[in-house]
């Protein structure tokens, strides 16, 4: 086996240009899947952790207003665990001599979807001059803690002080308006204020949004009957654009990883098979000699199968080494679109499974390429010479004059 191992190394170095395609396909197969899996699974874990810390609601019901009786009716729906109401208004803001817009929420009764405080401090009850702003909006408009902003809503004005910067789990992909397909933080932002601040802009503190935990199907079915003409819309985590976009992106990246990995695995099969077949065709005499020296079909079969293991294994290892760089790069492109406070890559056992699959495929391609050629040697090789010689002798015996002509 030492001799065959030495031959393996020499053959790979001698035919490195042919094996490079196999190495490259194995590398890309592992790199694409593992790299993208680290990104999409890491994003999935980051989103899940963020929404759990923020206690994200399961569904949202929009109405012109909610009465106490309405809220009680929703609480009595089967499988509903918790409800909370809030008031939302769209105010015009003046920052740095330019106008933009803020969606401002005010908790009325209970609180399910809780904003994550990034900097500063939380609001205090009874304080009518404070507000929390989302971090991206504040950065885009150069607003800092302690700054005052000018708000205008239905000809009412207020000048609250920014006491904290937040990220909200129900606004992972916040565009502010359906007219934009990407976040525009310099034009649209959101904030949280208490009821005292709301009173300076709107005396009516009747809630217009109901957040619900549990019972999604039943809530969707009964909401129009409970609210009647006041019913506006219903959303859940898969239909609310600000949330569903993040969940859908995870699936999109996952599908890309499967698609491209499948393509490169197919190319690896073709490259390995043709490379080994071509190598054996140039080593027919060597294989015949090795079998004549006592090497069995099994040993020679394993020898050529080892080419798939060696080349595919090196490609897989290099792919794993580069994969974290790719994962971080892909996550970096998503940070510009989605608002999360913590990003990290994560892998699963399927990455190891795909790596083993790539190695197995390279080995099987090499095995099947060598099996047929090895099986008939050296008998087939020497038999071919005997057949040629026997025909020549037959002609000489039957037609001796041909020999004379040949010699002449």
């Amino acid at each position: 086996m030492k001799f065959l191992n030495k031959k393996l190394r020499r053959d790979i170095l001698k035919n490195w240009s042919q094996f490079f395609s196999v190495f490259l396909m194995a590398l890309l197969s592992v790199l694409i899947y593992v790299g993208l899996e680290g990104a999409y699974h890491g994003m999935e874990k980051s989103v899940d952790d963020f929404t759990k810390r923020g206690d994200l609601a399961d569904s949202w019901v929009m109405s012109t207003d909610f009465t106490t009786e309405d809220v009680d009716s929703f609480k009595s729906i089967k499988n509903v665990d918790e409800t909370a109401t809030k008031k939302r208004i769209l105010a015009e803001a003046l920052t740095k001599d330019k106008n933009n817009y803020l969606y401002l929420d005010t908790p009325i009764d209970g609180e399910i979807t809780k904003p994550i405080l990034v900097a500063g401090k939380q609001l205090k009850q009874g304080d009518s001059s404070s507000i929390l702003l989302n971090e991206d909006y504040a950065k885009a408009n150069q607003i800092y803690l302690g700054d005052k902003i000018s708000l205008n809503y239905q000809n009412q004005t207020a000048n609250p002080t920014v006491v904290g910067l937040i990220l909200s789990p129900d606004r992972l992909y916040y565009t502010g308006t359906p007219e934009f397909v990407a976040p525009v933080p310099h034009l649209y932002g959101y904030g949280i204020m208490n009821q005292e601040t709301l009173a300076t802009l709107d005396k009516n503190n009747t809630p217009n949004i109901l957040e619900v935990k549990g019972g999604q199907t039943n809530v969707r079915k009964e909401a129009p009957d409970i609210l009647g003409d006041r019913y506006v819309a219903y959303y859940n985590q898969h239909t609310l654009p600000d949330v569903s976009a993040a969940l859908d992106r995870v699936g999109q990246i996952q599908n890309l990883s499967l698609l491209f990995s499948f393509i490169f695995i197919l190319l690896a099969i073709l490259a390995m098979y043709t490379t080994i077949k071509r190598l054996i065709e140039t080593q027919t005499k060597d294989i015949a000699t090795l079998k004549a020296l006592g090497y069995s079909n099994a040993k020679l079969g394993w020898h050529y199968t080892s080419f798939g293991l060696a080349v595919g294994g090196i490609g897989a290892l290099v792919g794993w080494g580069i994969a974290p760089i790719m994962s971080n790069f892909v996550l970096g492109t998503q940070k510009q679109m989605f608002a999360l406070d913590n990003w990290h890559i994560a892998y699963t056992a399927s990455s190891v499974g795909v790596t083993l699959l790539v190695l197995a495929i390279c080995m099987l391609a090499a095995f099947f390429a060598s099996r047929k050629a090895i099986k008939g040697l050296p008998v087939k090789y020497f038999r071919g010479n005997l057949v040629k010689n026997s025909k020549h002798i037959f002609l000489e015996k039957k037609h001796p004059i041909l020999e004379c002509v040949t010699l002449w």
Side-chain angles (χ1 to χ4, degrees), residues 347-358:
Y347 302 99
T348 65
S350 62
S351 293
V352 178
V354 169
T355 303
L356 295 177
L357 176 64
V358 170

Side-chain angles (χ1 to χ4, degrees), residues 62-77:
M62 314 296 182
S63 175
T64 55
D65 64 86
F66 287 92
T67 64
T68 304
E69 291 76 16
D70 295 332
V71 177
D72 291 338
S73 297
F74 279 100
K75 288 181 179 180
S76 63
I77 294 177

Side-chain angles (χ1 to χ4, degrees), residues 155-406:
N155 297 323
Q156 300 295 319
T157 60
N159 296 282
T161 301
V162 179
V163 297
L165 302 179
I166 59 171
L167 293 173
S168 182
D170 63 341
R171 290 187 170 98
L172 297 173
Y173 185 75
Y174 181 71
T175 60
T177 173
E179 297 177 1
F180 296 106
V181 295
V184 281
H186 62 284
L187 291 179
Y188 282 90
Y190 62 86
I192 305 292
M193 57 186 180
N194 53 33
Q195 296 187 44
E196 290 75 16
T197 307
L198 173 64
T200 63
L201 294 171
D202 185 8
K203 303 299 182 181
N204 180 15
N205 64 352
T206 304
N208 53 13
I209 295 178
L210 177 72
E211 297 179 325
V212 184
K213 296 282 285 187
Q216 298 180 45
T217 303
N218 295 328
V219 170
R220 173 66 183 89
K221 182 179 179 180
E222 298 188 28
D225 295 332
I226 294 174
L227 297 172
D229 295 338
R230 293 173 294 138
Y231 175 74
V232 176
Y234 167 86
Y235 297 99
N236 58 35
Q237 293 183 9
H238 297 284
T239 59
L240 185 68
D242 294 351
V243 177
S244 62
L247 302 179
D248 293 342
R249 186 60 55 86
V250 171
Q252 292 169 3
I253 299 176
Q254 182 179 16
N255 291 335
L256 284 176
S257 70
L258 294 173
L259 173 63
F260 284 103
S261 294
F262 179 73
I263 292 173
F264 286 121
I265 286 175
L266 288 180
L267 293 175
I269 294 174
L270 296 175
M272 192 74 236
Y273 185 86
T274 55
T275 299
I276 292 297
K277 190 175 181 180
R278 191 182 301 113
L279 180 66
I280 290 177
E281 288 175 353
T282 62
Q283 295 186 355
T284 303
K285 293 182 180 180
D286 296 340
I287 297 172
T289 303
L290 290 172
K291 291 191 69 175
L293 292 173
Y295 284 93
S296 65
N297 289 341
K299 286 184 178 180
L300 292 174
W302 169 249
H303 167 67
Y304 284 99
T305 302
S306 298
F307 283 91
L309 177 62
V311 179
I314 295 172
L317 288 175
V318 175
W320 265 98
I322 305 175
I325 300 175
M326 181 177 182
S327 298
N328 283 308
F329 173 78
V330 174
L331 277 186
T333 62
Q334 303 306 306
K335 290 179 182 179
Q336 302 174 2
M337 308 294 291
F338 301 99
L340 294 172
D341 64 337
N342 184 27
W343 294 80
H344 58 271
I345 60 176
Y347 302 99
T348 65
S350 62
S351 293
V352 178
V354 169
T355 303
L356 295 177
L357 176 64
V358 170
L359 291 178
I361 284 174
C362 289
M363 293 174 66
L364 286 173
F367 172 75
F368 285 113
S370 62
R371 182 183 180 185
K372 186 177 180 180
I374 293 174
K375 189 176 180 180
L377 293 171
V379 176
K380 181 178 179 181
Y381 176 74
F382 290 121
R383 182 183 296 166
N385 290 336
L386 290 174
V387 171
K388 292 179 181 179
N389 291 335
S390 64
K391 290 181 179 178
H392 182 68
I393 293 171
F394 173 78
L395 289 174
E396 288 177 349
K397 288 183 178 181
K398 294 295 182 179
H399 305 279
I401 191 172
L402 293 177
E403 183 178 2
C404 296
V405 173
T406 302

Side-chain angles (χ1 to χ4, degrees), residues 57-61 74 80 82-84 112 210-214 219:
D58 294 325
S59 54
W60 295 260
V61 181
F74 279 100
V80 169
E82 187 180 357
T83 64
I112 294 179
L210 177 72
E211 297 179 325
V212 184
K213 296 282 285 187
V219 170

